[in-house]
Amino acid sequence: MAKRTKPAAKRGQTASRLPKVGAGELLTPLDFVRYAVSRFVEAKLVFAHGTTDPLAEAAFLVCEALHLHPDQFETFATTRVTAAEGEKILDLIARRVTTRKPAAYLVNKIYMRGLPFYVDERTIVPRSFIGELLDQHFGRDGDDEAGSLISDPDTVESVLDLCTGSGCLAILASRNFPNAAIDAVDISKDALEVAARNVGDYGLQDRLTLYRGDLFKPLGDKRYDLIISNPPYVDAEGMAGLPRECRAEPKLAFDGGFDGLDIVRRILDEAVAHLTPQGGLLCEIGRCRPQLEAAYPQLPLLWLDTEESEGEVFWIAATDL
């Protein structure tokens, strides 16, 4: 009996580290955000899962507790929070600090390009730059001066998302290319279960097909106008130093081998056999650009930057492969 009660005691000790909040001390969403930021900074949390700093993460959690879209925070920042809502917010803050789990796992949601997606521990928390690049360089809303890599998105008939995880990029691609059939592949059965839920939530069962397998293997000789991928690319040194938040995610989704390029090499070597003549490959590799350019000095890789990244995503046309 003593052994059974021990974990509960530990949880209580951990929770007590957060300062108590008296009735009426925190009244508005903005009050709770300030409190959360203080606790997150005090606990030295790591932010790498869709939010980049304690303020953004605090606002995200407060909005989720109040069933608000993040874009609505400013509208309701100074309104009153009910006692029940306040307790829910404080519970989320405490769980984020004490468990160090990514915030997305605590609320089972993440936003990409303003769209909500379901996520849990079966898959990595999506935070790819590819969604932004699809809008910049492939979508109708892209800036012509930024350079369009596909002149008319309506002409794209087939898209492949390798290492799809929760399926977010495949779903975003379906919006950028309205006439395309989308295939998405992952080796993880668990991740595909999450992806299937998201595909169903967006009603894309007739356009988006999920495959379980190792990269191109389940696809036979199919070819695509566009291949996108955010594969595992963390090197051995990075794996050894993953913060606690990232260690809550599936290791399979991070581990790119000694230099981080085990999966990327295979994608580059095999992609040409699965691209149409006018197609191309868009691939995210994190901070592996020096290793990749050293391994493939002959390839004319085009590096695409976003508001928060530089040299982490490359594009290469099928003709150059």
Side-chain angles (χ1 to χ4, degrees):
M1 182 63 70
K3 289 184 178 180
R4 291 180 183 175
T5 58
K6 207 171 186 180
K10 286 185 177 180
R11 285 196 296 270
Q13 291 167 5
T14 304
S16 67
R17 295 174 188 169
L18 273 68
K20 292 183 178 180
V21 177
E25 289 184 330
L26 301 177
L27 299 176
T28 70
L30 194 59
D31 291 339
F32 283 93
V33 166
R34 198 286 307 158
Y35 175 80
V37 170
S38 297
R39 303 290 73 76
F40 294 168
V41 172
E42 181 182 40
K44 299 180 180 180
L45 301 185
V46 174
F47 308 95
H49 303 85
T51 57
T52 57
D53 57 70
L55 177 58
E57 182 137 315
F60 168 69
L61 282 177
V62 169
C63 283
E64 284 307 303
L66 299 177
H67 304 288
L68 299 175
H69 189 282
D71 292 343
Q72 296 176 299
F73 177 78
E74 290 187 9
T75 302
F76 298 100
T78 58
T79 58
R80 290 295 185 96
V81 171
T82 69
E85 290 171 336
E87 289 180 7
K88 185 175 181 180
I89 295 171
L90 291 175
D91 178 66
L92 282 174
I93 295 170
R95 288 166 59 201
R96 178 66 178 94
V97 170
T98 57
T99 68
R100 299 190 80 96
K101 286 185 178 182
Y105 286 162
L106 299 180
V107 297
N108 297 124
K109 187 184 291 184
I110 192 71
Y111 288 89
M112 291 190 71
R113 309 304 294 163
L115 299 179
F117 295 94
Y118 177 86
V119 69
D120 62 33
E121 285 89 341
R122 291 174 292 176
T123 183
I124 191 173
V125 178
R127 59 267 206 182
S128 175
F129 301 117
I130 289 177
E132 181 179 341
L133 292 171
L134 288 177
D135 289 339
Q136 285 182 352
H137 297 281
F138 301 87
R140 293 174 178 78
D141 298 330
D143 183 353
D144 290 338
E145 294 181 0
S148 178
L149 296 173
I150 292 181
S151 57
D152 184 359
D154 287 346
T155 63
V156 175
E157 297 180 351
S158 56
V159 176
L160 170 64
D161 177 21
L162 286 177
C163 309
T164 192
S166 56
C168 299
L169 290 181
I171 292 169
L172 291 177
S174 74
R175 299 170 66 88
N176 285 82
F177 308 106
N179 297 323
I182 315 291
D183 288 345
V185 179
D186 205 286
I187 200 169
S188 168
K189 177 178 178 291
D190 287 341
L192 288 175
E193 289 175 354
V194 176
R197 174 167 177 165
N198 284 317
V199 170
D201 286 346
Y202 281 92
L204 291 169
Q205 298 93 325
D206 294 337
R207 283 188 59 203
L208 203 163
T209 305
L210 300 174
Y211 292 86
R212 184 185 179 194
D214 188 5
L215 297 181
F216 298 99
K217 287 184 179 180
L219 302 171
D221 58 358
K222 295 184 70 172
R223 290 179 177 266
Y224 300 88
D225 296 327
L226 174 65
I227 297 174
I228 61 177
S229 184
N230 182 22
Y233 52 70
V234 180
D235 61 22
E237 183 179 355
M239 289 299 296
L242 282 178
R244 185 173 169 186
E245 281 85 346
C246 293
R247 293 200 300 271
E249 300 175 88
K251 178 182 177 181
L252 183 67
F254 288 105
D255 195 350
F258 179 75
D259 64 355
L261 296 179
D262 282 4
I263 308 299
V264 178
R265 284 191 185 90
R266 292 181 54 202
I267 292 173
L268 272 172
D269 294 345
E270 300 172 25
V272 67
H274 294 277
L275 283 168
T276 59
Q278 72 276 13
L281 168 66
L282 186 66
C283 185
E284 184 167 335
I285 62 166
R287 300 174 184 175
C288 293
R289 178 175 178 175
Q291 302 96 292
L292 187 66
E293 290 182 328
Y296 293 89
Q298 79 283 8
L299 290 183
L301 303 173
L302 175 63
W303 296 95
L304 304 175
D305 299 336
T306 69
E307 291 184 3
E308 297 179 356
S309 73
E310 182 176 346
E312 296 191 35
V313 183
F314 69 82
W315 162 264
I316 186 164
T319 52
D320 293 323
L321 281 171

